[in-house]
């Protein structure tokens, strides 16, 4: 044991946690601050629209944080197996452990946890991150130098460039395209939120549908990894070691369906009841009232028109700027002058 707190001399670096990375923690904190900030202004909103605004803010921020966070999660697909396997190279000693492979858009996490954790006078609880910025060959070489357990090295070796399985090519490109389409979905989400605050609710609904479409495109891109030729992972006595879709994939599906439902509802309601939906979103409705004022029937005093030939007037339509001059009654001084 050394001063590294249960980390042995051949392993001087801290281990990576795949459940909550610093990126995910930062994203969650930023959106929590935004949520609290928006909720603080709710007391200033009167009437029944307060609940609608709260529901709208929570749903919108939930969609945004999910789209961003999905880029950095490591559980789009995973595989697990409990097996008896050799622990270290050049040793025949075996341990009973649970091996896990967790695949994200930017890399893989490989976990190894003993059953029980303390075996062979060691704490068997590893969690290793291998990111494919270009390749993972360099990180795999570092793992060899650090003397990581055999199951971790065996799985990581399957994703190197020289491995016959060729997993790195499909997984890396699928992850990059899926991430790109997710960021496009995030841009569509931003535009939709801007349009929801303007009297163009119909186009906001279109952008929500576009957000859902790009989320589905990212899922389709990642799903291409399932079309690869079968590359079996055989670890100890566990037999086949197959990957399956995991939490992030299904969360992306649920978020895409939610965006699609919102977009379709907004488009339908804008076509059926445009006035009410604009009122619900607190946006103005265009007012096409004429500037001219209609007074209806008007009557003239014939005593003031003695000797003047006139024609009967039934209606009087005047522009707005002349209303005051016509409606003002003549003063006594003006009447005496006319007389």
């Amino acid at each position: 044991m050394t001063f590294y707190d249960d980390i042995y001399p051949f392993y001087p670096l801290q281990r990576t946690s795949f459940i909550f990375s610093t990126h995910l923690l930062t994203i969650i904190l930023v959106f929590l601050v935004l949520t609290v900030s928006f909720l603080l202004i709710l007391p200033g909103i009167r009437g029944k629209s307060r609940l609608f605004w709260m529901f709208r803010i929570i749903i919108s921020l939930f969609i945004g944080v999910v789209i961003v966070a999905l880029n950095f999660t490591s559980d789009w697909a995973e595989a697990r197996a409990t097996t008896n396997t050799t622990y270290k190279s050049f040793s025949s000693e075996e341990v009973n452990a649970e091996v896990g492979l967790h695949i994200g858009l930017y890399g893989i996490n490989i976990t190894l946890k003993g059953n029980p954790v303390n075996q062979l006078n060691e704490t068997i609880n590893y969690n290793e991150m291998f990111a494919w910025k270009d390749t993972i060959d360099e990180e795999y070489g570092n793992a060899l130098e650090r003397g990581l357990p055999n199951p971790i090295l065996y799985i990581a070796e399957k994703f190197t460039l020289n491995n016959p399985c060729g997993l790195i090519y499909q997984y890396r490109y699928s992850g990059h395209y899926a991430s790109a389409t997710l960021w496009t979905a995030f841009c569509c989400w931003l535009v939709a939120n801007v349009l929801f605050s303007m009297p163009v609710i119909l186009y906001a609904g279109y952008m929500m549908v576009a957000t859902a479409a790009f989320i589905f495109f990212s899922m389709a891109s990642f799903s291409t990894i399932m079309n690869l030729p079968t590359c079996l992972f055989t670890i100890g006595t566990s037999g086949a070691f197959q990957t399956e879709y995991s939490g992030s994939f299904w969360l992306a599906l649920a978020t895409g369906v939610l965006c699609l439902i919102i977009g379709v509802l907004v488009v339908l309601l804008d076509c059926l009841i445009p006035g009410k939906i604009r009122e619900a979103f607190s946006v103005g409705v265009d007012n096409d009232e004429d500037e001219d004022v209609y007074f209806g029937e008007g009557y003239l005093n014939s005593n003031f028109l003695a000797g003047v030939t006139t024609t009967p007037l039934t209606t009087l339509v005047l522009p707005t700027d002349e209303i005051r001059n016509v409606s003002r009654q003549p003063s006594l001084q003006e009447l005496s002058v006319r007389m």
Side-chain angles (χ1 to χ4, degrees):
M1 303 295 289
T2 67
F3 61 90
Y4 284 111
D5 189 18
D6 294 340
I7 300 176
Y8 298 96
F10 61 82
Y11 189 71
L13 298 178
Q14 294 293 330
R15 298 168 184 169
T16 302
S17 174
F18 86 95
I19 298 177
F20 273 102
S21 66
T22 55
H23 296 292
L24 284 179
L25 184 60
T26 302
I27 293 167
I28 293 173
L29 288 177
V30 169
F31 277 88
L32 281 178
V33 171
L34 290 175
T35 303
V36 173
S37 301
F38 281 112
L39 292 179
L40 287 177
I41 67 174
L42 283 180
I45 301 175
R46 299 179 179 178
K48 298 179 180 179
S49 60
R50 180 183 302 174
L51 292 177
F52 175 75
W53 268 87
M54 182 180 67
F55 180 77
R56 174 184 169 188
I57 290 171
I58 293 176
I59 292 297
S60 179
L61 291 178
F62 170 78
I63 294 173
V65 71
V66 168
I67 293 175
V68 178
L70 285 176
N71 284 277
F72 303 100
T73 55
S74 299
D75 60 341
W76 279 73
E78 65 178 15
R80 295 178 183 272
T82 301
T83 181
N84 293 319
T85 179
T86 57
Y87 181 55
K88 293 290 184 179
S89 300
F90 310 107
S91 175
S92 60
E93 293 182 317
E94 293 186 351
V95 295
N96 183 269
E98 181 184 20
V99 185
L101 171 62
H102 309 270
I103 302 171
L105 302 184
Y106 289 100
I108 59 175
N109 269 92
I110 305 174
T111 59
L112 179 68
K113 186 174 182 179
N115 295 318
V117 176
N118 294 315
Q119 299 182 48
L120 303 179
N121 296 324
E122 294 188 14
T123 301
I124 304 175
N125 190 4
Y126 292 87
N127 190 337
E128 299 300 322
M129 176 70 184
F130 296 88
W132 42 61
K133 298 178 182 178
D134 292 320
T135 64
I136 67 170
D137 289 52
E138 182 178 353
E139 296 188 11
Y140 176 70
N142 294 334
L144 288 173
E145 294 178 0
R146 288 153 51 191
L148 294 184
N150 278 349
I152 296 178
L153 295 176
Y154 171 78
I155 296 175
E157 192 268 339
K158 293 288 186 180
F159 291 88
T160 57
L161 287 176
N162 297 325
N163 190 270
C165 289
L167 297 178
I168 180 63
Y169 299 103
Q170 188 65 32
Y171 276 76
R172 182 179 63 185
Y173 292 127
S174 297
H176 286 178
Y177 285 120
S179 179
T181 50
L182 277 178
W183 284 116
T184 307
F186 179 72
C187 294
C188 293
W189 172 81
L190 289 176
V191 174
N193 280 274
V194 173
L195 295 177
F196 272 126
S197 61
M198 303 171 64
V200 283
I201 305 298
L202 179 63
Y203 297 101
Y206 289 155
M207 292 309 299
M208 289 302 296
V209 174
T211 302
F214 281 108
I215 293 176
F216 294 147
F217 290 155
S218 68
M219 296 174 58
S221 176
F222 184 79
S223 297
T224 57
I225 64 173
M226 297 301 177
N227 298 329
L228 291 173
T230 303
C231 184
L232 296 179
F233 293 77
T234 305
I235 301 176
T237 60
S238 64
F241 190 68
Q242 298 291 335
T243 57
E244 297 178 353
Y245 295 125
S246 187
S248 293
F249 184 87
W250 301 118
L251 181 60
L253 176 62
T255 306
V257 172
L258 177 62
C259 293
L260 181 63
I261 292 174
I262 293 174
V264 172
L265 282 178
V266 169
V267 171
L268 290 178
L269 292 177
D270 187 80
C271 295
L272 298 176
I273 46 174
K276 291 185 178 180
I277 193 172
R278 283 170 172 76
E279 182 181 356
F281 281 92
S282 301
V283 295
V285 181
D286 294 338
N287 190 0
D288 297 331
E289 294 181 359
D290 295 330
E291 293 185 356
D292 294 337
V293 179
Y294 177 71
F295 281 92
E297 296 183 355
Y299 301 93
L300 297 177
N301 192 339
S302 59
N303 294 329
F304 297 110
L305 299 176
V308 179
T309 303
T310 61
T311 57
L313 297 177
T314 57
T315 59
L316 182 62
V317 179
L318 295 176
T320 307
D321 55 355
E322 296 182 13
I323 294 175
R324 295 183 178 178
N325 296 332
V326 175
S327 60
R328 184 175 61 85
Q329 296 294 332
S331 62
L332 295 175
Q333 184 177 2
E334 291 177 346
L335 290 176
S336 64
V337 173
R338 294 181 183 180
M339 296 298 291

